[in-house]
Amino acid sequence: MKKISFSLLLISLLSACASDKPADVAQAPAAEAQQPAAQETAPAQQTAQATAPVATDALEDPNSILSKRSAFFDFDKSVVKEEDKPVVQAHGQYLKEHADRTVEVQGNCDERGSSEYNLALGQRRADAVKKMLVVSGAGAKQVTTVSFGEEKPRATGHNEAAWSQNRRADIAYK
Amino acid sequence: MKKYIGNISLVLLMTFALSAHAALDIEITGAGEHQIPVSIVPFAGEDLLSQKISDVIASDLKRSGMFRLVDTAGKTPHETSEVVYADWSAADALTIGSASKLADGRVEVKFRLLDTHKQSQMLGQSVVARMDQVRAIAHRISDLIYEKFTGDAGVFSTRIAYVNKDGGMYRLVVADSDGYGEQSVLTLKHPIMSPSWSPDGSHLAYVTFEQGRAVTYIQSLYTRQRFVLAAFPGSNSSPAWSPDGKQLAIVLTREGNSNIYLVRPDGTGLKRLTYTDAIDTEPSFSPDGRYILFASDRGGSVQIYQMPVDGGFAERLTFEGNNNFSPRYSPDGNGFVYMYSTGGQFYIATMDFQTRQMQVLTDVGWDKKPSFAPNGKIILFATESLGRGILATVSSDGRVKQKMTPQQGDIREPMWGPFLK
């Protein structure tokens, strides 16, 4: 008997608190979180603003290899593909020449596998790109890494065309 | 009244509102091997309630796959004296009852479970509760009926957690195990991952990206307060509570690759458990607290390993499939459920520790993140239907399957909660 009443009481407590003021609790963290969101979704824009006074910055030249900011990966792999190496190496060289600039390498995965494994794999991809940037001349302190796992896909389809876009590490200038 | 086992008066401290509609559409396929035929007679007076008690009980029992509902043929006895047992011989048991409003606005629900063959009462109970708790009462009645017939505790009163992704919004949701009573615990414009229930059901640990990287939080479901469990440099993810609630296993990349650590719920006492250059992730405590299951690619492919809770030698447990992920112990500790990957598809499978035999339970090919109901009889997982992420369950023998489609959004990362003690 006691068991039932106690369980119901817990349910009611739990439910009560959960619905007490959902709007407040829901909005506060969302509002807090807005700033990083803006940063993440508009890295190109931000870079443009930051470097606007320097008209000759190769980062701004759409014809420069530096306009490419991504390295792509095979399924379940974290080795930078041969065709993307020149891109990563060029950014490594640029960072060497611009010691004041810093980048965040953001590792991503396709949606296959578990979300937690993909979070780990995305980190490994980001680390692989960081390693190549540093080998190419960037200072280790100029490069931070983060993994978004499968949580922030660029393409949303459930097919190889989308997946190949999402197995990616982006070089985001801060 | 004397025939009832007891009379419970509930002290209700706070208000809460139930969702008026189901947040999920439910589709059931398959059936248990030996279904128990039961008749659920509409309760007297239940038309006055927000939910019909007999409907909730019937729906619960049917979803379990263990019961077959026998039509009541329009007969509506509400008291034992009104039951003509000859009318009910097609059923093994019969549930009758009544609901009546009390002067103080509360409702009194009486129910009896009658054995139609022995012509005797199996269960009888009277509960006084607030009007908006009718559904919870019905679930408890379902639990009692289920336990009476199967010997296993019912899980109709337990809750589940999952993430609903709708456009750019992520909601961490707690709902009844049948998908009703959905309540948002947290709403963010950033991904939410890996909800994990504390053993007493009072807290959820989870991962969000609101700080720009994976950070693990703990939130009270009672006070709604939340705090950071781990925000070290790199990813802080995959929280799993120990059975005694005194520590969590967690995955950090602060020292390079993803490795498993232990930490107390207040964020202190960090202790590293794995030391590989591989990915070690998705820890799960054994019910006795002595071992941890996890996924690792230390052997080349991703496989399930088990190690003592203080670290040390990790034994590889899975050898079939290209990769295997997301292990969770069964509540009795005799086996585990995991995501089995072969040919680019993902299925839910179980493995028995003694026989080391695996059993694949699902066939959609996009089945992720399994967790056991606390009675070990049902497995909850995420799958896909018509391009949308949905919840699904499968009985642990693989016979009964259920799909629960949300009215909007994609469902991800489900986790079945514990019994509320």
Side-chain angles (χ1 to χ4, degrees):
Chain A
M1 288 312 97
K2 267 186 182 171
K3 209 171 181 179
I4 292 180
S5 65
F6 196 41
S7 295
L8 284 173
L9 181 62
L10 277 177
I11 288 166
S12 73
L13 280 172
L14 196 140
S15 309
C17 302
S19 63
D20 236 352
K21 43 173 189 171
D24 292 358
V25 182
Q27 280 166 12
E32 268 171 32
Q34 266 171 1
Q35 232 173 341
Q39 282 170 7
E40 282 152 17
T41 51
Q45 197 186 350
Q46 212 180 27
T47 306
Q49 282 167 2
T51 58
V54 191
T56 55
D57 195 322
L59 272 183
E60 277 201 276
D61 180 356
N63 298 315
S64 166
I65 190 170
L66 294 174
S67 66
K68 294 183 179 176
R69 306 277 165 87
S70 298
F72 296 88
F73 298 87
D74 288 329
F75 176 62
D76 204 18
K77 295 287 185 287
S78 52
V79 179
V80 177
K81 286 187 184 179
E82 210 54 46
E83 61 258 40
D84 293 329
K85 282 183 179 172
V87 174
V88 178
Q89 287 160 347
H91 285 284
Q93 186 65 31
Y94 178 88
L95 287 167
K96 182 184 180 184
E97 292 160 4
H98 299 79
D100 59 322
R101 298 305 306 269
T102 57
V103 295
E104 180 178 77
V105 181
Q106 301 164 342
N108 295 274
C109 298
D110 71 32
E111 60 185 350
R112 291 175 294 171
S114 69
S115 57
E116 282 290 351
Y117 179 77
N118 283 332
L119 185 67
L121 180 61
Q123 184 64 44
R124 196 186 260 168
R125 286 176 176 164
D127 289 345
V129 168
K130 174 175 179 172
K131 197 172 175 186
M132 186 168 286
L133 286 170
V134 170
V135 167
S136 307
K141 287 186 176 172
Q142 286 175 273
V143 187
T144 58
T145 58
V146 69
S147 174
F148 298 146
E150 63 175 81
E151 305 302 317
K152 298 188 176 183
R154 178 184 284 178
T156 52
H158 303 298
N159 49 54
E160 179 53 29
W163 295 332
S164 63
Q165 287 297 302
N166 295 334
R167 295 190 299 267
R168 192 183 79 249
D170 295 325
I171 299 168
Y173 282 83
K174 293 182 187 171
Chain B
M1 282 304 299
K2 278 180 192 165
K3 285 181 186 170
Y4 293 103
I5 290 173
N7 189 326
I8 302 160
S9 183
L10 293 172
V11 181
L12 303 168
L13 302 174
M14 303 186 197
T15 60
F16 81 120
L18 278 168
S19 305
H21 304 287
L24 308 164
D25 290 327
I26 299 175
E27 175 195 333
I28 308 157
T29 53
E33 193 173 8
H34 305 292
Q35 286 189 308
I36 300 147
V38 293
S39 279
I40 312 295
V41 178
F43 281 33
E46 69 177 1
D47 289 346
L48 299 172
L49 308 175
S50 56
Q51 311 261 343
K52 289 187 183 178
I53 294 169
S54 61
D55 284 354
V56 176
I57 297 170
S59 164
D60 281 346
L61 297 182
K62 188 168 174 233
R63 277 188 305 118
S64 76
M66 302 294 291
F67 295 86
R68 180 166 56 82
L69 299 178
V70 177
D71 188 57
T72 57
K75 299 186 186 66
T76 55
H78 301 306
E79 295 291 341
T80 313
S81 58
E82 297 166 10
V83 173
V84 179
Y85 281 104
D87 292 345
W88 304 96
S89 55
D92 285 356
L94 173 72
T95 291
I96 60 171
S98 63
S100 50
K101 282 187 183 176
L102 303 179
D104 61 5
R106 293 186 299 167
V107 60
E108 179 176 28
V109 176
K110 300 176 188 173
F111 98 98
R112 296 173 196 275
L113 180 66
L114 305 175
D115 184 322
T116 58
H117 306 307
K118 291 182 183 165
Q119 306 195 356
S120 62
Q121 179 170 307
M122 300 171 75
L123 286 171
Q125 212 142 74
S126 169
V127 181
V128 175
R130 251 189 12 222
M131 287 294 281
D132 55 6
Q133 284 199 310
V134 165
R135 199 171 180 86
I137 292 168
H139 284 319
R140 284 305 297 170
I141 294 173
S142 302
D143 285 340
L144 292 171
I145 296 171
Y146 182 94
E147 184 165 2
K148 193 75 188 171
F149 279 102
T150 68
D152 298 309
V155 291
F156 305 110
S157 297
T158 60
R159 314 198 99 198
I160 57 174
Y162 51 86
V163 177
N164 186 311
K165 180 188 178 188
D166 193 5
M169 296 301 285
Y170 296 79
R171 283 190 305 130
L172 178 60
V173 174
V174 169
D176 292 354
S177 65
D178 61 1
Y180 278 80
E182 194 186 67
Q183 290 168 342
S184 294
V185 174
L186 178 73
T187 303
L188 291 178
K189 290 178 179 171
H190 297 271
I192 304 173
M193 286 172 60
S194 306
S196 172
W197 291 88
S198 66
D200 65 358
S202 65
H203 291 74
L204 283 178
Y206 53 80
V207 176
T208 84
F209 284 78
E210 65 201 86
Q211 293 194 34
R213 67 188 201 285
V215 166
T216 300
Y217 295 80
I218 291 179
Q219 184 163 354
S220 165
L221 293 174
Y222 299 148
T223 67
R224 284 296 206 95
Q225 284 187 312
R226 67 184 198 134
F227 56 91
V228 169
L229 174 68
F232 295 101
S235 294
N236 304 262
S237 68
S238 211
W241 297 77
S242 65
D244 64 6
K246 290 180 180 169
Q247 52 189 353
L248 292 97
I250 193 171
V251 173
L252 306 177
T253 60
R254 66 194 290 253
E255 291 165 271
N257 275 300
S258 298
N259 277 287
I260 298 169
Y261 295 72
L262 294 179
V263 65
R264 285 195 281 267
D266 64 1
T268 65
L270 191 69
K271 181 190 171 195
R272 185 169 170 177
L273 289 188
T274 63
Y275 289 86
T276 64
D277 291 333
I279 289 171
D280 297 328
T281 190
E282 302 191 292
S284 159
F285 278 89
S286 62
D288 64 7
R290 293 171 58 207
Y291 293 94
I292 289 176
L293 280 175
F294 62 102
S296 174
D297 68 351
R298 58 181 65 188
S301 59
V302 189
Q303 301 294 342
I304 310 303
Y305 293 77
Q306 181 176 244
M307 66 179 170
V309 74
D310 53 358
F313 176 73
E315 181 192 5
R316 179 172 167 176
L317 298 174
T318 53
F319 295 89
E320 293 184 62
N322 304 116
N323 290 296
N324 293 294
F325 306 87
S326 308
R328 300 274 305 175
Y329 284 94
S330 61
D332 63 9
N334 291 335
F336 62 97
V337 64
Y338 61 104
M339 180 171 90
Y340 161 73
S341 167
T342 183
Q345 306 253 285
F346 301 94
Y347 305 94
I348 305 306
T350 51
M351 182 172 287
D352 183 275
F353 279 118
Q354 283 234 301
T355 64
R356 295 292 164 101
Q357 288 293 304
M358 70 172 292
Q359 185 184 4
V360 180
L361 299 177
T362 64
D363 51 18
V364 173
W366 201 260
D367 308 325
K368 289 181 159 193
K369 195 86 180 191
S371 62
F372 275 100
N375 68 358
K377 298 299 171 184
I378 313 172
I379 293 155
L380 175 71
F381 59 98
T383 187
E384 193 145 290
S385 179
L386 305 174
R388 287 175 69 193
I390 67 167
L391 283 174
T393 63
V394 59
S395 57
S396 51
D397 62 5
R399 284 177 172 274
V400 186
K401 295 185 170 106
Q402 238 190 96
K403 285 180 181 177
M404 303 193 269
T405 305
Q407 286 172 342
Q408 56 184 40
D410 284 305
I411 290 187
R412 308 149 64 90
E413 307 277 306
M415 189 60 65
W416 206 312
F419 288 122
L420 291 175
K421 295 186 181 102

